[in-house]
Amino acid sequence: MLSYLTRWMSRGAVQALKGASSRPHPVKTPRIGNQTLAAASLPIPGGSPGVRQAQAMDRERLLQIEWDDGSCSLYPFTWLRDNCQCPLCMLQSAQARSLLLSDLDVHTGMDQVQLMDNKVSITWPDQHSSVFEPDWLKKRCFSTEARQALQEELFLNEREYWDSGLQIPTLDFKEVLHDDKTALAWLEALRRIGIVYLTGAPVEQGQVARLSQRIGYLRLTFYGHTWQVQDKAMANNVAYTSGKLSLHTDYPALHHPPGVQFLHCIRQAEQGGESEVVDGFHMAEQLRTEDPEAFNILSSVRVDFTDSGADYCDFSVQSKHHIIDVDTEGRVVRINYNNATRDSVLDLPLNQVQPFYSSLKAFVDLLSRPENMFTYKMKPGDLVTFDNWRLLHGRKSYVSHSVQKNRNSTRHLEGAYLDWDEVMSRLRILRKTARGDI
């Protein structure tokens, strides 16, 4: 069940998981120079890449590094000077650049390059010196393969797609709080698969805030740091009713919707209240294949969303989003869709209105196919964490007992948001502490 996850997680992290997605998704230098100025370095024990030779190509303004494995890397002079690691150019205590761009000669040459103890030492025309560690340089090679590998290491952009056959990765709530390897498994699965189930949380409010401290801090919104999903009189949100919730992402009415959502079950309804989730990235890719025109419309037309009322404070928010956000390479990076807060304002030319509706209907019909939707029912003490930029989630209607004034039997979930910046920050830190990554 977990075999394909071993590509992404440390052995300890994988062993911490009890379940995982069943359907993986397959994702997808020239040598030039004039003059050799340094050569013949022996490999350094302990895994650091050995530099065979370094050459400055003055005409191309590139430094060429030939590694002991025979591979070659090229580095622009300007980039090297901009990224000098010395105390004059870097604030070491903050690992931040202190060299001002206004002081950088973007057409700099290079006076000399030497190899010293397998390090690359450069003397610039103003006689400033820069020394670079070989592993630091190798990691930042400008080849397509090296750049892709580093971006994947930094951002974990590859995803595992799934459908109705999903087996949700499941972990123990207390182990996530107290064990770094388990916490790492949680966050890696959250990033790759988009949803992780935690069991054994105390059946009382405050657990989503407690879990957030494992990462950093909660995202404050107009509904508060945390919020109570219950059937309420004069509800200021459709979630605060007992009716069916259609598949949606939370808070597209904000220009920067929350990236991650926590929901903790404190009480469950006796009848109804099942949760539904769909992999929005997977569905967007299916739409791209089945109906390219609809995909192009939903990824290019900006739609208005709105939300107003009073909770943590009074609010009136407006935003504009593509239903499907893609990056410069065409990769799907976020779904923005909530039918309840989609505004009646539709800022489109008249001839684009019907094609927009037809495209959105095609996407929603795709989301609603039984083979694409996973349904589950939370029990008290269960806590689900999921990617709000990727998953669309919904809820079946339930029988509320509030009409009988028995508030203790009313379905009650506590929710909270975080941003992906905080989550990814903690993931990178845990990779160092739990796995020893550099």
Side-chain angles (χ1 to χ4, degrees), residues 222-414:
F222 290 111
Y223 292 96
H225 291 91
T226 65
W227 22 271
Q228 312 308 314
V229 184
Q230 296 174 286
D231 185 14
K232 303 175 183 178
M234 300 298 293
N236 63 350
N237 190 293
V238 294
Y240 301 161
T241 70
S242 60
K244 175 181 173 61
L245 291 182
S246 61
L247 293 165
H248 64 282
T249 61
D250 270 21
Y251 238 146
L254 298 178
H255 279 107
H256 187 74
V260 172
Q261 183 169 167
F262 295 168
L263 284 172
H264 175 218
C265 181
I266 297 172
R267 285 187 302 274
Q268 183 56 276
E270 292 181 7
Q271 299 178 48
E274 292 86 354
S275 301
E276 300 171 326
V277 289
V278 171
D279 186 346
F281 286 5
H282 190 190
M283 295 305 96
E285 293 299 342
Q286 273 193 227
L287 185 69
R288 193 196 314 244
T289 300
E290 295 182 11
D291 194 339
E293 182 180 359
F295 179 91
N296 289 337
I297 288 173
L298 296 184
S299 59
S300 60
V301 167
R302 298 178 74 211
V303 179
D304 291 79
F305 292 90
T306 185
D307 195 19
S308 59
D311 200 303
Y312 185 80
C313 64
D314 51 349
F315 55 91
S316 178
V317 291
Q318 292 284 146
S319 72
K320 301 178 81 71
H321 288 292
H322 304 128
I323 300 294
I324 301 172
D325 270 339
V326 298
D327 64 14
T328 55
E329 298 176 352
R331 178 175 53 199
V332 178
V333 294
R334 190 169 71 195
I335 306 296
N336 306 287
Y337 179 66
N338 189 320
N339 197 55
T341 59
R342 183 168 53 82
D343 203 348
S344 57
V345 173
L346 186 56
D347 185 20
L348 292 177
L350 193 61
N351 65 343
Q352 293 183 23
V353 172
Q354 187 58 45
F356 162 73
Y357 273 105
S358 298
S359 300
L360 183 57
K361 184 64 161 57
F363 186 47
V364 171
D365 286 348
L366 186 60
L367 297 172
S368 303
R369 291 179 189 172
E371 64 268 25
N372 294 329
M373 186 185 305
F374 180 76
T375 303
Y376 62 98
K377 188 166 184 175
M378 299 181 73
K379 301 188 299 294
D382 292 347
L383 198 158
V384 66
T385 64
F386 59 90
D387 183 346
N388 185 57
W389 286 6
R390 171 180 173 182
L391 268 67
L392 294 100
H393 65 287
R395 179 194 70 208
K396 293 185 178 181
S397 63
Y398 64 92
V399 176
S400 172
H401 295 285
S402 61
V403 293
Q404 302 168 0
K405 296 183 171 55
N406 183 6
R407 298 298 298 178
N408 289 332
S409 64
T410 301
R411 185 180 190 268
H412 181 190
L413 306 184
E414 184 175 35

Side-chain angles (χ1 to χ4, degrees), residues 195-229:
I195 182 169
V196 181
Y197 213 71
L198 306 183
T199 59
V203 185
E204 59 188 20
Q205 288 181 217
Q207 304 313 306
V208 290
R210 188 178 171 199
L211 182 62
S212 75
Q213 294 172 358
R214 192 65 168 101
I215 293 174
Y217 50 88
L218 290 171
R219 163 85 178 266
L220 175 63
T221 71
F222 290 111
Y223 292 96
H225 291 91
T226 65
W227 22 271
Q228 312 308 314
V229 184

Side-chain angles (χ1 to χ4, degrees), residues 50-336:
V51 180
R52 183 176 297 169
Q53 75 176 21
Q55 295 183 145
M57 274 69 76
D58 294 330
R59 184 179 59 194
E60 296 85 1
R61 298 180 57 251
L62 294 171
L63 175 69
Q64 178 176 274
I65 301 291
E66 185 176 346
W67 306 98
D68 279 343
D69 62 7
S71 63
C72 179
S73 299
L74 298 171
Y75 303 94
F77 287 0
T78 305
W79 177 83
L80 288 163
R81 181 64 190 91
D82 181 41
N83 289 282
C84 175
Q85 300 293 293
C86 83
L88 294 177
C89 297
M90 287 283 291
L91 177 59
Q92 303 295 327
S93 59
Q95 287 297 292
R97 182 185 292 105
S98 53
L99 174 64
L100 302 180
L101 192 64
S102 58
D103 294 334
L104 177 68
D105 178 2
V106 297
H107 303 291
T108 186
M110 186 180 289
D111 264 16
Q112 187 179 36
V113 58
Q114 297 177 303
L115 294 181
M116 302 173 59
D117 298 325
N118 202 46
K119 299 176 183 178
V120 178
S121 176
I122 297 171
T123 302
W124 302 101
D126 62 0
Q127 298 307 297
H128 185 83
S129 294
S130 302
V131 177
F132 297 97
E133 297 283 350
D135 51 356
W136 188 93
L137 285 171
K138 184 94 171 183
K139 191 173 185 178
R140 290 160 177 80
C141 174
F142 282 85
S143 72
T144 300
E145 297 79 9
R147 288 189 292 110
Q148 288 176 344
L150 183 54
Q151 290 301 299
E152 181 57 29
E153 177 185 335
L154 292 173
F155 297 106
L156 277 76
N157 287 320
E158 293 185 11
R159 299 295 196 273
E160 300 289 333
Y161 288 179
W162 46 266
D163 52 26
S164 62
L166 170 70
Q167 292 178 292
I168 299 183
T170 303
L171 296 165
D172 181 80
F173 176 80
K174 293 184 178 64
E175 289 182 12
V176 167
L177 292 184
H178 302 297
D179 181 75
D180 281 354
K181 288 185 178 180
T182 305
L184 176 60
W186 166 44
L187 296 184
E188 287 187 327
L190 180 62
R191 184 66 170 174
R192 297 297 189 189
I193 300 170
I195 182 169
V196 181
Y197 213 71
L198 306 183
T199 59
V203 185
E204 59 188 20
Q205 288 181 217
Q207 304 313 306
V208 290
R210 188 178 171 199
L211 182 62
S212 75
Q213 294 172 358
R214 192 65 168 101
I215 293 174
Y217 50 88
L218 290 171
R219 163 85 178 266
L220 175 63
T221 71
F222 290 111
Y223 292 96
H225 291 91
T226 65
W227 22 271
Q228 312 308 314
V229 184
Q230 296 174 286
D231 185 14
K232 303 175 183 178
M234 300 298 293
N236 63 350
N237 190 293
V238 294
Y240 301 161
T241 70
S242 60
K244 175 181 173 61
L245 291 182
S246 61
L247 293 165
H248 64 282
T249 61
D250 270 21
Y251 238 146
L254 298 178
H255 279 107
H256 187 74
V260 172
Q261 183 169 167
F262 295 168
L263 284 172
H264 175 218
C265 181
I266 297 172
R267 285 187 302 274
Q268 183 56 276
E270 292 181 7
Q271 299 178 48
E274 292 86 354
S275 301
E276 300 171 326
V277 289
V278 171
D279 186 346
F281 286 5
H282 190 190
M283 295 305 96
E285 293 299 342
Q286 273 193 227
L287 185 69
R288 193 196 314 244
T289 300
E290 295 182 11
D291 194 339
E293 182 180 359
F295 179 91
N296 289 337
I297 288 173
L298 296 184
S299 59
S300 60
V301 167
R302 298 178 74 211
V303 179
D304 291 79
F305 292 90
T306 185
D307 195 19
S308 59
D311 200 303
Y312 185 80
C313 64
D314 51 349
F315 55 91
S316 178
V317 291
Q318 292 284 146
S319 72
K320 301 178 81 71
H321 288 292
H322 304 128
I323 300 294
I324 301 172
D325 270 339
V326 298
D327 64 14
T328 55
E329 298 176 352
R331 178 175 53 199
V332 178
V333 294
R334 190 169 71 195
I335 306 296
N336 306 287

